Amino acid sequence: MLQHELYMQRCLDLAQNGAGYVSPNPLVGCVITNGDKIIGEGWHRKFGEAHAEVNAIHQVKDKALLKTSTLYVNLEPCSHHGKTPPCADLIIQSGIPRVIVGMKDPYYKVAGTGIAMLQQAGIEVSVGILQDECRWLNRRFIHFVTQKKPYVILKWAQTQDGFIAPDANKLTPHDFEVKRHITGFIVQKLVHRWRTEEDAILVGTHTVLTDNPALNTRAWKGRNPLRIALDKNLRIPHTAKIYDGSQPTLIYTDKNTPIPTDASVNYRTIDFSTDIWPQILSDLYEQNIQSLIVEGGLHTLQTIIDSNCWNEIQCFTTPTILAEGIAAPVFHGQPVSESTIDQSKLTVYINT
């Protein structure tokens, strides 16, 4: 790997530290080098706080070195006033002569203007180092700002013979409870880590009534996502864990929305007689929800697939054999990675 690529990879590694904290902003990391030495680095740590370039520049102890240094950043420096001043201005004021950018920012308020500002100030700018990797890291942000809807990830586990759960109608409650946990503790803990990195998590009515999930991140330190339940006929009892008041909860229903009994609960009315997913994704976009992970049952997962409203699937396949039960969803997607975690094969697909 070339030196430029090594430093850009470091930017990507740093940027990942902001996952779950910076949304709806992008994940950004920055490295400043002088000769063959890194003299400063940083990442965007939290929405509303200093950007990666600011943190990296502030870390440089001898500011005189900046005038002979190179700044690497995985996303084009911002050029507009938002929660913070433009990073392009700070780079120019610092006297940094060279900037290496992983990819242009697709957000309409930047979209090349940050690069143009640097070039107009006489800074040498190169663009497109590890561009594919940069785009993958910020796929949620890119989809959100270009398509004006959240990036949707479907997640499920299935047995080797293609079932996502046993059939509760054919088993005693005890046998169902024993068989329904397809994956082990390590995978379950990983899934909780993933939840901390997404803005919202969604399940259907049947999943709430059957499993009574908390939809939190209790097995991993991090923020809880907005939890969302589909409840067309308001059948979910208020004794369910999603009503425990511990985190914000959103209920989509077909009925007139009731007055919430808890400030953490919000109801939205949508039309269940037509495709609900464009309605939901449009509403979530308006709420600045950049990413949504769906952990629902077969009906919920399959309707999203059939509506073609998904972007990514994270599918665990375990060695378990059920012989009968609820079959896994049917979909067409391109596999982009495969790995083994605690005897389960994780395959990631993207919607092509």
Side-chain angles (χ1 to χ4, degrees):
M1 185 177 286
L2 300 176
Q3 188 178 48
H4 284 337
E5 293 176 340
L6 286 171
Y7 289 137
M8 189 59 66
Q9 184 59 55
R10 177 61 179 164
C11 291
L12 294 172
D13 293 342
L14 290 168
Q16 184 62 45
N17 291 325
Y21 299 99
V22 303
S23 174
N25 281 356
L27 297 166
V28 184
C30 180
V31 170
I32 301 173
T33 65
N34 191 274
D36 59 356
K37 182 180 178 181
I38 293 177
I39 61 172
E41 59 182 28
W43 67 91
H44 186 24
R45 294 173 177 268
K46 188 176 181 181
F47 177 70
E49 296 185 359
H51 289 186
E53 299 95 322
V54 176
N55 290 328
I57 290 171
H58 286 173
Q59 196 187 70
V60 177
K61 294 180 180 179
D62 183 358
K63 295 297 190 287
L65 291 175
L66 291 172
K67 299 187 184 303
T68 56
S69 296
T70 300
L71 181 145
Y72 294 82
V73 63
N74 60 290
L75 187 69
E76 175 183 3
C78 63
S79 55
H80 65 291
H81 284 269
K83 296 284 185 180
T84 60
C87 291
D89 281 349
L90 179 62
I91 295 170
I92 293 169
Q93 294 163 10
S94 299
I96 296 171
R98 289 177 299 279
V99 175
I100 311 295
V101 178
M103 62 169 285
K104 289 184 179 180
D105 190 338
Y107 182 47
Y108 76 97
K109 289 187 177 181
V110 185
T113 59
I115 292 170
M117 285 176 62
L118 298 178
Q119 291 174 329
Q120 289 166 9
I123 295 173
E124 178 188 337
V125 182
S126 298
V127 183
I129 305 300
L130 297 186
Q131 184 167 252
D132 289 344
E133 291 85 346
C134 292
R135 292 185 64 83
W136 179 254
L137 175 73
N138 272 312
R139 59 197 184 278
R140 296 164 180 80
F141 170 75
I142 294 169
H143 184 79
F144 184 72
V145 300
T146 60
Q147 303 302 312
K148 300 188 183 308
K149 62 182 71 172
Y151 187 88
V152 177
I153 301 170
L154 310 184
K155 185 198 69 64
W156 70 80
Q158 63 184 53
T159 61
Q160 187 175 333
D161 53 347
F163 297 100
I164 61 173
D167 188 341
N169 296 320
K170 296 183 178 181
L171 296 171
T172 65
H174 175 267
D175 289 341
F176 175 77
E177 187 65 26
V178 169
K179 290 188 174 184
R180 77 184 182 93
H181 293 293
I182 295 174
T183 57
F185 174 74
I186 293 176
V187 170
Q188 292 169 25
K189 192 168 185 177
L190 174 62
V191 167
H192 280 230
R193 193 196 83 181
W194 286 347
R195 289 178 180 179
T196 70
E197 298 176 357
E198 310 303 341
D199 289 346
I201 181 171
L202 181 148
V203 295
T205 306
H206 181 74
T207 295
V208 178
L209 295 177
T210 303
D211 297 343
N212 193 21
L215 303 180
N216 59 24
T217 61
R218 60 193 178 278
W220 193 270
K221 183 179 179 181
R223 67 163 186 171
N224 286 316
L226 168 70
R227 54 188 175 192
I228 304 172
L230 307 178
D231 193 7
K232 176 182 177 181
N233 296 311
L234 295 177
R235 293 192 295 131
I236 298 174
H238 281 236
T239 53
K241 290 178 182 177
I242 63 168
Y243 282 114
D244 64 10
S246 63
Q247 66 201 74
T249 300
L250 175 60
I251 308 294
Y252 284 108
T253 179
D254 196 40
K255 305 300 180 184
N256 292 329
T257 56
I259 298 174
T261 57
D262 188 287
S264 66
V265 179
N266 184 20
Y267 292 90
R268 299 291 182 105
T269 301
I270 58 174
D271 183 2
F272 276 78
S273 68
T274 186
D275 191 349
I276 63 172
W277 298 110
Q279 301 174 65
I280 290 172
L281 296 185
S282 176
D283 184 58
L284 293 178
Y285 174 79
E286 294 300 323
Q287 297 179 62
N288 249 1
I289 300 300
Q290 186 185 98
S291 62
L292 170 68
I293 189 165
V294 180
E295 296 187 11
L298 175 62
H299 178 75
T300 300
L301 292 167
Q302 193 66 61
T303 57
I304 301 179
I305 292 169
D306 293 344
S307 183
N308 199 33
C309 286
W310 66 280
N311 300 98
E312 183 176 330
I313 288 172
Q314 299 168 348
C315 176
F316 287 96
T317 302
T318 75
T320 308
I321 299 293
L322 277 181
E324 63 177 354
I326 300 172
V330 177
F331 69 97
H332 298 286
Q334 177 185 344
V336 293
S337 69
E338 190 174 290
S339 56
T340 300
I341 302 171
D342 192 27
Q343 298 184 323
S344 292
K345 182 178 72 174
L346 169 62
T347 307
V348 177
Y349 302 86
I350 57 172
N351 189 351
T352 56

